[in-house]
Structure formats: C-alpha cells, structure tokens
Amino acid sequence: MKALAVVRPPSICSWPPQSLPKSQYLRSQRFRVSSSLIKEPQSEIQAKQEKKGGVMDEVFLNLFRKKMVEEVGWDSGKPGYDGLIEVANRLMLKSPTNSHTKEAAVRILRSLFPPMLLQLYKLLIAPIQGGKVAAIMVARVTAITCEWLMGPCTVNSVDLPDGTSWNSGVFVEKCKYLEQSKCVGICVNTCKLPTQAFMKDYMGVPLVMEPNFSDYSCQFKFGIHPPLPEDDATLKEPCLDICPNATQRREFTRNINVQQCPKA
C-alpha cells in the first residue's frame, strides 16, 4: 500500500497568536482600527484650514472689490487682488481732490455693513467702560477678518495717553495693500484717513493708524485719537522707492526740493 502525502495550505498566521489570549488580541485590534479612523494626518488638517481661509478670503475680496467698483464706476480686467489695486488707482485718478478720495472710501466702508449694525454699535457698545470694550472688540475682528487685505497681523497692547494700556492694537507685519499699490497717496487717502474717519464717525471708536513706509508694517491703535493733519508725519512722507512714477518724477524735478508724495 502506497503512502499518501497530505498537502496542507500554507500557514498564514494562527489566530489568535499563541502568545496572546483571545480577549487581549481583540482589544488590541480594536484599538488599532479605532486609532486609524480617528487620527488624521497633520498635513490634511492644515490643508483644510488653508482651504477654508482661502474661501473666506475670496469672499471678502470679491465683496470689497464689488463695492469699490460701484463707487468708481469702472472695473479692471485683471482678476483677484491685482484688479483690486487697479480699481484703487482709478479711484485716486477719478477724484478731483484727496478729500473727495477720502469721502468716497468712507462710503465704500459704510456700504460693507448693515446701517443698523453701525448705529447700534455706536449707541450701545462704544460707550461701555469709556470705549474700552468697543476698541478691544474691533481690534480682534480686524485681525481675524482683514488678513486677506493686509497680510498677517496680530492683536497687541497699546499705551493710551492717560498711562493705561489696552489690548486694542493690531500690528500688520507687512501690509500687502501698501506693498502692491506702491503708493503713499493710495495708502493715506484710500486706507488710513478714511478708516480713521469711518471708525470714529460711524462706530464711535477713535483710531490712529501708523504705517511704516520703510518696512511696510502698520500699527492700528483703536481707542486713541489721531493727530491733527498738520501734526501727522504720515501726510508729509516722500514717494516710495518702489513707486512706478517716483523715478520719473525725481528726474523731472531734480532741481526742485520735493518733500512729500504729491498724491498724499
């Protein structure tokens, strides 16, 4: 009688492993499965956050540009932020005086808010604790919602004239609006002066903005009144080196002492 060979399938891994009791093995497997389901790669989390921020930035940009186009009556053919800067330039060119530019920019800012919201804020929030609550609130909202326009910014502390300090400042590391517009006049007349006027007149919060034309940073100080125009050094700034018209203007006026940006 011939011996029969018994063929067995290849051994996969005995279940459960002989070194682990069945109950312990099941617990370890459940932990592995649940961990793999819960844990999300950090890169994916960051990508989702950036996408969310990008969507909101696009919404704010489109809304602001729409309101500016309605005021100017003209739109640029360029998309995105570059188009916004061209519309801002057109606003400067369209206005007969800097005062007209400032008034137009204030109207744009007003159109971004429901009228009743501004009135209620000025009436109910602005007077609380001598304006401290309103100033701190506005600083936080500015830092959260305006990075699309100005770039990275943080809330910081500012010193008030009476010696106290409030966390009502916003420091802009490098203002995108100033860097892209390349113009002191656009910064002053479409941003600094109208924003200061809008905050004080329509929200009841005094504000002074201090742009630095050397490194393009800017310090917002909510709760502090701006200086008089004759005392504001910002209004006497010369053209930026990156201004596209500055070189030609310096050549043309090389024998004339030009002390400030003509648009400012």
Side-chain angles (χ1 to χ4, degrees), residues 136-193:
I136 292 175
M137 287 178 63
V138 172
R140 278 154 176 71
V141 171
T142 299
I144 293 172
T145 62
C146 293
E147 284 199 348
W148 69 270
L149 178 65
M150 304 182 297
C153 51
T154 54
V155 174
N156 62 0
S157 177
V158 296
D159 296 328
L160 275 67
D162 62 2
T164 60
S165 297
W166 293 352
N167 288 324
S168 60
V170 175
F171 180 71
V172 183
E173 297 175 11
K174 189 173 185 179
C175 181
K176 184 178 178 181
Y177 190 72
L178 173 58
E179 185 180 25
Q180 293 292 325
S181 66
K182 303 179 178 64
C183 180
V184 171
I186 289 180
C187 167
V188 170
N189 296 304
T190 71
C191 185
K192 172 184 160 64
L193 294 181

Side-chain angles (χ1 to χ4, degrees), residues 90-214:
R90 180 60 66 95
L91 176 62
M92 286 286 296
L93 294 173
K94 175 187 175 182
S95 303
T97 66
N98 290 339
S99 296
H100 283 82
T101 303
K102 172 187 167 184
E103 292 168 2
V106 169
R107 287 194 295 270
I108 293 170
L109 293 174
R110 287 180 59 192
S111 69
L112 296 171
F113 297 85
M116 284 301 296
L117 177 63
L118 296 176
Q119 295 174 18
L120 291 174
Y121 195 89
K122 183 176 181 180
L123 180 65
L124 302 178
I125 307 298
I128 299 176
Q129 294 185 22
K132 180 177 181 179
V133 172
I136 292 175
M137 287 178 63
V138 172
R140 278 154 176 71
V141 171
T142 299
I144 293 172
T145 62
C146 293
E147 284 199 348
W148 69 270
L149 178 65
M150 304 182 297
C153 51
T154 54
V155 174
N156 62 0
S157 177
V158 296
D159 296 328
L160 275 67
D162 62 2
T164 60
S165 297
W166 293 352
N167 288 324
S168 60
V170 175
F171 180 71
V172 183
E173 297 175 11
K174 189 173 185 179
C175 181
K176 184 178 178 181
Y177 190 72
L178 173 58
E179 185 180 25
Q180 293 292 325
S181 66
K182 303 179 178 64
C183 180
V184 171
I186 289 180
C187 167
V188 170
N189 296 304
T190 71
C191 185
K192 172 184 160 64
L193 294 181
T195 303
Q196 291 177 171
F198 168 78
M199 292 303 305
K200 179 65 174 66
D201 296 341
Y202 296 97
M203 297 191 74
V205 180
L207 165 67
V208 59
M209 294 170 61
E210 299 174 344
N212 186 321
F213 296 109
S214 297

Side-chain angles (χ1 to χ4, degrees), residues 11 19 23 33 48 52 55 59-60 74 81 101 110 115-116 122 130 135 137-138 154 194 213 220 231 260:
S11 174
S19 59
S23 60
V33 173
K48 288 181 180 179
K52 182 179 179 181
V55 171
V59 170
F60 288 132
W74 175 88
Y81 203 93
T101 303
R110 287 180 59 192
M116 284 301 296
K122 183 176 181 180
M137 287 178 63
V138 172
T154 54
F213 296 109
F220 287 62
D231 298 327
Q260 69 179 76

Side-chain angles (χ1 to χ4, degrees), residues 68-82:
M68 187 177 286
V69 167
E70 290 174 357
E71 176 67 34
V72 176
W74 175 88
D75 196 4
S76 166
K78 294 183 179 179
Y81 203 93
D82 290 340

